[in-house]
Structures are given as C-alpha cells and as structure tokens.
Amino acid sequence: ALNKCKDKLLEKKYENAYIYYKMEYYNAALMYLNEIFNENPNGEIDKKSLILAAKIYNKKKDWDSLNKILETFTLKYPEHPFIKEIERYLSNKNW
C-alpha cells in the first residue's frame, strides 16, 4: 500500500511538471521533475520524466543538462527509442 501511495505522489508530480511544461514555465516543471528524480524511481514514471526533462532542456538549449539526461537514459533504458530523439536534439543544437 505504501508503494502505491508513493507511485500516486510521483504521478501527481509528473502531472504538475507536464502542466508547467505546456505553459512554458520550464523551471517550475524541472523543479517537479527533480523531485521525481530524487526519489530514484524506475519504470514508466521515470521514463516519462526523463523524456519530459529532455524536451525541456532542448527548448532551453541547455545542452550540458541534455547530455546528462542522455547518459542517464542510456544507462537505465539502453533499448528505448527516445534515445535517438535526444541524440537528434543534440546534433541539431547548432541550428
């Protein structure tokens, strides 16, 4: 039951981050995502949070942070198709 509650809280934090992302309040969104990362989750919520963080860092043109997300993503989920998307963001950064 405790894990279920923790998962609900993480999901709520993700939803908050996503809303702020859609409103283009990227720093507020990252605040919630960092709270999720500090919990060190695994599974779907972690993947969704890493993807959202990558999108935000791409919009902010924060290439160092985007590189860190790529490293984390590759270590945790080496087969995930979004890795190619992050690599594309980084290869297009000079545009």
Side-chain angles (χ1 to χ4, degrees):
L2 187 60
N3 280 345
K4 197 170 191 174
C5 290
K6 282 184 177 179
D7 289 347
K8 282 270 190 213
L9 284 172
L10 290 174
E11 192 65 44
K12 178 72 176 132
K13 287 178 183 181
Y14 175 81
E15 293 299 325
N16 288 340
Y18 187 76
I19 289 167
Y20 280 117
Y21 166 73
K22 292 304 261 181
M23 293 168 51
E24 298 183 3
Y25 295 147
Y26 300 131
N27 291 337
L30 288 169
M31 182 187 75
Y32 281 104
L33 292 174
N34 285 327
E35 287 181 18
I36 293 170
F37 298 142
N38 288 338
E39 296 280 327
N40 206 14
N42 285 309
E44 211 49 46
I45 192 73
D46 188 40
K47 290 177 199 167
K48 286 176 13 179
S49 299
L50 286 166
I51 289 170
L52 187 57
K55 290 178 179 180
I56 291 169
Y57 288 132
N58 183 51
K59 294 239 185 230
K60 291 179 62 149
K61 299 184 181 346
D62 183 346
W63 310 124
D64 290 339
S65 297
L66 186 55
N67 250 324
K68 287 183 185 123
I69 293 291
L70 177 60
E71 287 171 18
T72 303
F73 214 107
T74 305
L75 278 173
K76 288 178 134 181
Y77 312 104
E79 302 298 314
H80 199 283
F82 196 76
I83 290 170
K84 294 269 186 268
E85 187 73 14
I86 299 172
E87 290 169 343
R88 193 173 61 75
Y89 289 161
L90 287 166
S91 68
N92 290 337
K93 69 183 181 188
N94 295 324
W95 295 85

